[in-house]
Amino acid sequence: MSAPAPIDPRLLRAFVAVAEELHFTRAAARLYVAQQALSRDVRRLERELGAELFVRTTRQVTLTPDGERLLPHARRVLAAQHDLLAAFAAGQARPLLVDLNTPGLVTGRRVLHRARELAPDCELMARYESGLTGAAADLLAGRLDVSFGRFAGLDPALRSGLEQQPVRYEPMAVVLPEDHPLAASAQVPLAALAGEAVYAGAGNPRTPEWTDLARRLFEGRGIRLAPPLPPAVGDEEFTRLMAKTRNPVLAVVDFPPHAGTVRRPLVDPVPLAPVSLVWRKGLVHPGLTALRTAVAEIARSEGWLRRPADGWIPAADEAVMSGGATGAGGGGR
């Protein structure tokens, strides 16, 4: 036995209006349609159900027993449709999950704060997924909505389902034990790190895009990548590992402070970490609109997308950052 054909909600809406008004002219006015079109929809519904729903005379309209039986079901269907549409309406959107990568980082936090001001009725929930590669799978699966990071460093297969908007050329820094010989300097020239083993997340499956950026930066400068370590979770573990390994850590200038360490900007040249806002293709949400507006506002007012004359960045990243908002295959980031 074949399944019954689905019923167009418009036909049910016409039926309910006539059933409640018991008058075709008033029902048509209520729905803002022509009476002829309303009558046509009711007749079509009767044909599809194989039942007569109304008794029509020149003086009145009444429901048949089949019409009486259909009415509560039709009302429930239309109410469910209303609830579905309301759940996805702009003013009642579901919470948007926004990955800020690491607690304390300034760029994502400022964008999120401004977006909350722009869309106070939206719930924008912060998450900390630590690495765009790690977040990308969750973005594509719908477990996460938005993240920040280096889009050009993602595998092309991941980029194919994502879109991005450039946020910032973020100057990079090095985090040092406070008694390291370079800690006394206000800035650290890249050449001064020659011979050092600098930690940049090697071996962390959630951050290969960051390790790749470090490898490109260190190449030809005599700087080694420090060997893999289990990711340090929390301030206490980060401080302990810094004290134990004494390896400098590649970071950004807004990296949060930790006890026993100092953060120094890198210069000659100034290496830049390209930061993009990243979301899955096809995502429509007022919170995403607010985030994109916040990015544009802050980047313009703070000069986040003005590249310093002595700035260093891989060509693939520069192509993405200078190309504006793109979809997959737009060159990376």
Side-chain angles (χ1 to χ4, degrees):
M1 183 178 178
S2 61
I7 296 174
D8 187 337
R10 187 187 80 250
L11 306 184
L12 294 177
R13 199 170 295 110
F15 163 72
V16 169
V18 176
E20 292 178 349
E21 298 290 343
L22 294 178
H23 196 283
F24 275 79
T25 301
R26 289 198 299 269
R30 169 172 150 181
L31 296 178
Y32 300 98
V33 299
Q35 184 175 334
Q36 184 179 12
L38 178 68
S39 298
R40 185 169 58 247
D41 284 346
V42 170
R43 285 195 300 271
R44 178 181 161 191
L45 180 61
E46 289 177 324
R47 286 196 305 271
E48 291 188 4
L49 293 176
E52 189 176 0
L53 303 175
F54 296 102
V55 176
R56 308 161 176 85
T57 71
T58 57
R59 306 188 69 174
Q60 64 178 356
V61 176
T62 58
L63 283 164
T64 66
D66 282 332
E68 295 278 6
R69 187 159 60 98
L70 175 62
L71 185 57
H73 295 289
R75 283 171 170 158
R76 284 198 294 272
V77 169
L78 294 176
Q81 185 193 40
H82 176 272
D83 291 345
L84 184 152
L85 295 174
F88 286 86
Q92 300 186 30
R94 64 172 177 80
L96 195 78
L97 304 183
V98 183
D99 166 38
L100 299 184
N101 190 283
T102 300
L105 290 179
V106 170
T107 300
R109 191 172 74 241
R110 284 195 60 190
V111 170
L112 179 61
H113 177 73
R114 178 57 182 147
R116 285 170 171 164
E117 293 178 337
L118 292 169
D121 293 333
C122 288
E123 185 56 68
L124 295 135
M125 299 290 295
R127 295 288 186 272
Y128 301 94
E129 300 296 325
S130 183
L132 184 57
T133 297
D138 287 338
L139 289 173
L140 294 170
R143 294 186 295 267
L144 186 69
D145 296 306
V146 179
S147 188
F148 292 84
R150 181 186 171 227
F151 192 73
L154 292 179
D155 185 281
L158 294 175
R159 292 204 306 265
S160 67
L162 300 171
E163 295 185 84
Q164 67 87 30
Q165 178 175 338
V167 176
R168 184 180 186 185
Y169 291 109
E170 187 159 15
M172 297 168 74
V174 64
V175 178
L176 302 160
E178 58 187 1
D179 59 351
H180 190 281
L182 295 174
S185 303
Q187 301 174 322
V188 174
L190 273 170
L193 291 175
E196 296 271 6
V198 179
Y199 182 71
N204 185 343
R206 302 188 67 84
T207 61
E209 75 283 351
W210 178 253
T211 306
D212 174 71
L213 184 65
R215 185 178 292 111
R216 293 168 185 259
L217 176 64
F218 297 166
E219 187 175 6
R221 292 187 167 94
I223 308 170
R224 307 189 311 277
L225 277 173
L229 287 171
V233 179
D235 293 352
E236 185 175 337
E237 278 301 283
F238 181 87
T239 301
R240 184 185 68 81
L241 281 176
M242 281 288 294
K244 182 176 182 178
T245 67
R246 299 192 57 75
N247 288 325
V249 174
L250 188 67
V252 293
V253 292
D254 290 330
F255 191 77
H258 292 79
T261 69
V262 296
R263 181 187 65 236
R264 298 291 183 256
L266 291 169
V267 295
D268 301 328
V270 175
L272 302 171
V275 181
S276 282
L277 185 74
V278 182
W279 64 94
R280 66 183 171 278
K281 274 188 171 181
L283 176 63
V284 177
H285 192 288
L288 175 59
T289 302
L291 286 166
R292 297 191 65 183
T293 302
V295 164
E297 282 187 7
I298 301 173
R300 183 171 55 251
S301 65
E302 300 288 334
W304 276 0
L305 290 174
R306 286 199 297 268
R307 179 178 166 182
D310 59 345
W312 171 94
I313 189 172
D317 294 273
E318 175 59 16
V320 170
M321 297 297 285
S322 62
T326 66
R333 220 225 145 210

